Amino acid sequence: FFAIFSTVFISFLQSLTLKAINLSRAKKIFIAIFLDIVICILATWIALSIRLGELTTINWQFAIPILVSIFIVIPIFFSWGVYRTIFRYVDSDMLQIITKATIVYALLYSMVFEVISIQNIPRSIGLTQPMIMFLLTIASRWLVKKWLNQYFSIKVNEKVKKEVIIYGAGGSGRQLAANLIHNHEFKFLFFIDDNKNLWGGTIDGYSVKSPSSIKNLTRLEKQKELWLAMTKLSATKKNELINDLSRLGLHVRTLPSFSDL
């Protein structure tokens, strides 16, 4: 019974995720705004409960700080471009934008309660509510990202991905590796570089190995490819390197220079 229930539940989540992905951009923005309105309500309730030392019920008086929160945060998030972000690709830059937008929100929200005195509403809510709201906003984006990426990882794992090694840990190689993170066809393994100072280190969490380590590679079930990202090599040296690598049974691709592109 549990196995059947799990299968049905997973199928339901996948179907729900697919529908969410296929929604129009306007509908996705509307859902994001609705989510933030819920966060405003929840953050205000938590802040009041912490201040009063007990779980409180929201009445008409508590509706004032909730409405103030909603009418301040939504325009700020719009102006800072928070709603332009695709949830699947929320990164550190987006987190910085949310942080800055929340700081502006906190200043305006706290000023309201410093100027206006509302009966039974402590002024300290002007500080605690934005802090809680910031944590809930970050958590909501992170959870949605995990939810959506989990769906895509299931789809991707159903296919055999080609494993990629990048020869060259310079600027071109790092940019190439960064683009492979969200690629559904290839899986990046590690860097190879001639610079001895880089051997044994990591770049963006991926190890850098010496050229001699290529010889230790063995063919596995998944096909391996080696991508040559050394655009400053002369044509002669590049051809010699490609011939040497091809003898190892690896499929070699070369990254063209910017001028070639």
Side-chain angles (χ1 to χ4, degrees):
F1 174 78
F2 180 76
I4 296 174
F5 176 79
S6 299
T7 303
V8 172
F9 182 70
I10 292 174
S11 298
F12 170 75
L13 282 181
Q14 291 182 355
S15 176
L16 184 63
T17 304
L18 183 60
K19 290 181 179 179
I21 293 171
N22 291 330
L23 287 174
S24 66
R25 188 68 189 144
K27 291 181 179 179
K28 290 178 180 178
I29 293 176
F30 176 79
I31 292 174
I33 293 174
F34 177 78
L35 176 63
D36 287 336
I37 290 175
V38 173
I39 289 175
C40 288
I41 298 172
L42 188 58
T44 305
W45 175 72
I46 293 175
L48 287 171
S49 297
I50 292 175
R51 178 61 180 83
L52 299 176
E54 60 180 2
L55 293 178
T56 183
T57 55
I58 298 178
N59 54 36
W60 67 271
Q61 289 179 320
F62 295 161
I64 296 176
I66 291 175
L67 292 175
V68 171
S69 175
I70 293 172
F71 283 111
I72 292 178
V73 76
I74 302 301
I76 289 177
F77 277 12
F78 257 114
S79 61
W80 280 83
V82 175
Y83 295 124
R84 289 199 298 267
T85 305
I86 299 174
F87 275 38
R88 276 184 59 209
Y89 302 110
V90 171
D91 54 10
S92 57
D93 292 335
M94 191 64 245
L95 295 182
Q96 291 180 13
I97 292 175
I98 293 176
T99 302
K100 294 176 182 178
T102 306
I103 291 174
V104 175
Y105 162 77
L107 292 173
L108 295 176
Y109 191 74
S110 59
M111 285 175 59
V112 170
F113 291 97
E114 285 295 328
V115 175
I116 302 174
S117 179
I118 304 174
Q119 187 178 4
N120 297 328
I121 301 297
R123 291 185 176 182
S124 60
I125 192 178
L127 295 176
T128 56
Q129 197 268 5
M131 294 173 60
I132 296 171
M133 184 167 177
F134 170 74
L135 295 176
L136 293 178
T137 302
I138 296 296
S140 66
R141 267 60 178 179
W142 183 82
L143 288 173
V144 173
K145 178 181 178 179
K146 285 292 183 181
W147 172 42
L148 294 176
N149 286 341
Q150 181 67 25
Y151 168 80
F152 281 98
S153 65
I154 292 173
K155 291 297 181 183
V156 168
N157 290 334
E158 293 175 355
K159 302 177 182 179
V160 176
K161 299 178 70 174
K162 295 179 181 178
E163 295 180 332
V164 175
I165 302 162
I166 295 179
Y167 199 124
S172 299
R174 292 196 299 271
Q175 290 179 11
L176 189 58
N179 282 282
L180 283 176
I181 295 175
H182 300 294
N183 192 282
H184 298 164
E185 184 180 355
F186 302 100
K187 178 183 178 182
F188 176 51
L189 296 179
F190 54 84
F191 291 100
I192 296 289
D193 201 90
D194 295 329
N195 189 347
K196 296 181 180 180
N197 296 325
L198 299 178
W199 297 351
T202 60
I203 297 177
D204 296 330
Y206 294 96
S207 60
V208 182
K209 300 183 180 182
S210 66
S212 60
S213 63
I214 303 177
K215 299 178 181 179
N216 299 326
L217 293 175
T218 57
R219 282 188 172 277
L220 301 177
E221 294 179 0
K222 297 180 180 179
Q223 182 181 354
K224 282 187 174 64
E225 292 192 0
L226 189 140
W227 292 6
L228 189 59
M230 301 179 70
T231 56
K232 295 183 179 180
L233 282 181
S234 64
T236 303
K237 290 185 178 181
K238 183 180 291 186
N239 289 332
E240 290 177 358
L241 183 57
I242 291 173
N243 290 332
D244 292 338
L245 294 171
S246 298
R247 294 192 189 101
L248 299 175
L250 291 172
H251 182 199
V252 181
R253 298 176 186 261
T254 59
L255 179 68
S257 64
F258 184 77
S259 58
D260 290 336
L261 287 174

